[in-house]
Amino acid sequence: MLAYLDRDRFHIEHLWANHHHRVQEEIPDPVVFRSRRNQLGGLALLMGRENSSTNDLPLNDKAVYYARSNVLLGIAPGYDQRNPLLRDFIKTHKFDKSLRPFGPRETMTSIVQTRQDLYLNLFEHIWNPERLGLPIPLPSEPGSSDQPPAQTRPAIARRRPAAVRRRTDVARMVAAQILTAGTRIVLTYRSTDHWATIDEDGGIVLTATGGTPYGRVDEAGAVARGTKTCQGMNEWHIEDEEGARISLRTLRDRAMASGAL
């Protein structure tokens, strides 16, 4: 989406500044904090000048300024006052549980999850095939086919893309059975080991978070390290039966040299 926007005018805003100590009581693990902070529900789109003006204020302090430039960021009490069109939209489409304000005692986890639900609900509404005038398959009769019944209402599929759709080296190695689902990998940064698991689609699931997989090892590594970038293929390793660590890059290069990849 950002490819079609003026990047000088619009910025991606993190609802939470990169200050773990502010939510440390709720989320003690800094890796979990960084992962949650970067989820879709923790992000927003703001005009560049608006984004700069809020700087790294705590969420409750800057939330009052959000709605003036983005209705989707109406998370402060009173954001929908004197806005009958918005209130009618929320009521009509039953968005009252997801497009809503948050009080100062609401947790980071709750806000992120609620806003992720909001985006999913909006996706389903915008691309609802019935609303777009597209044909909707009728549900199958019970016992008429070995195939699972079609959905009775249109919905956006909430599942990860298959490994064949990923174009990463890790996904290719999973498809070639050089790596298997459940393989544990480790990254060491500043004397701390960070573990993750490779899933069946070639995604990287950080052990600390146990949540949605990262599509690229670079992204997972940057979150684990708390840095902007990471050479994931170099820094993530598997352990062989003797406990020796082999980087994913070395594993890939060996597979390519042998013709297995």
Side-chain angles (χ1 to χ4, degrees), residues 11 22 43 76 78-79 91 102 132 141 150 167 193 205 208-209 231-232 240 250:
H11 291 176
R22 292 178 179 173
L43 302 175
Y79 78 98
K91 182 178 180 180
F102 301 98
L132 296 174
E141 291 294 330
R167 300 182 181 274
D193 284 346
V205 181
T209 66
Q231 296 292 324
D240 64 18
T250 298

Side-chain angles (χ1 to χ4, degrees), residues 26-75:
E26 176 201 348
I27 307 174
D29 192 324
V31 176
V32 176
F33 164 72
R34 291 193 290 267
S35 175
R36 204 151 294 165
R37 177 176 179 263
N38 284 295
Q39 290 181 0
L40 182 61
L43 302 175
L45 194 65
L46 283 182
M47 298 288 289
R49 295 182 65 183
E50 289 280 351
N51 185 36
S52 299
S53 69
T54 59
N55 203 358
D56 63 346
L57 288 172
L59 177 62
N60 291 326
D61 291 344
K62 60 183 178 179
V64 294
Y65 304 113
Y66 279 158
R68 65 188 181 188
S69 57
N70 189 336
V71 171
L72 282 177
L73 274 174
I75 60 178

Side-chain angles (χ1 to χ4, degrees), residues 9-171:
R9 292 186 61 201
F10 295 95
H11 291 176
I12 293 178
E13 158 79 342
H14 285 83
L15 302 190
W16 287 267
N18 194 18
H19 298 308
H20 176 225
H21 66 273
R22 292 178 179 173
V23 295
Q24 192 166 7
E25 185 174 345
E26 176 201 348
I27 307 174
D29 192 324
V31 176
V32 176
F33 164 72
R34 291 193 290 267
S35 175
R36 204 151 294 165
R37 177 176 179 263
N38 284 295
Q39 290 181 0
L40 182 61
L43 302 175
L45 194 65
L46 283 182
M47 298 288 289
R49 295 182 65 183
E50 289 280 351
N51 185 36
S52 299
S53 69
T54 59
N55 203 358
D56 63 346
L57 288 172
L59 177 62
N60 291 326
D61 291 344
K62 60 183 178 179
V64 294
Y65 304 113
Y66 279 158
R68 65 188 181 188
S69 57
N70 189 336
V71 171
L72 282 177
L73 274 174
I75 60 178
Y79 78 98
D80 58 348
Q81 288 183 356
R82 301 183 185 278
N83 194 336
L85 292 178
L86 175 61
R87 297 177 73 163
D88 287 346
F89 176 82
I90 293 172
K91 182 178 180 180
T92 300
H93 300 288
K94 300 179 180 180
F95 281 1
D96 53 295
K97 293 183 178 179
S98 54
L99 182 51
R100 65 175 180 84
F102 301 98
R105 295 186 180 181
E106 195 106 26
T107 65
M108 178 181 183
T109 302
S110 173
I111 295 174
V112 169
Q113 184 58 59
T114 300
R115 292 191 60 75
Q116 300 224 140
D117 290 343
L118 168 64
Y119 292 135
L120 287 171
N121 291 337
L122 286 170
F123 294 159
E124 289 185 0
H125 171 67
I126 293 170
W127 286 289
N128 184 327
E130 184 176 15
R131 189 182 72 84
L132 296 174
L134 300 176
I136 303 172
L138 296 175
S140 303
E141 291 294 330
S144 63
S145 171
D146 293 333
Q147 298 296 322
Q151 288 178 308
T152 57
R153 74 177 185 89
I156 302 299
R158 299 186 183 184
R159 60 184 178 86
R160 297 191 300 272
V164 294
R165 295 182 182 177
R166 294 192 190 275
R167 300 182 181 274
T168 65
D169 287 332
V170 173

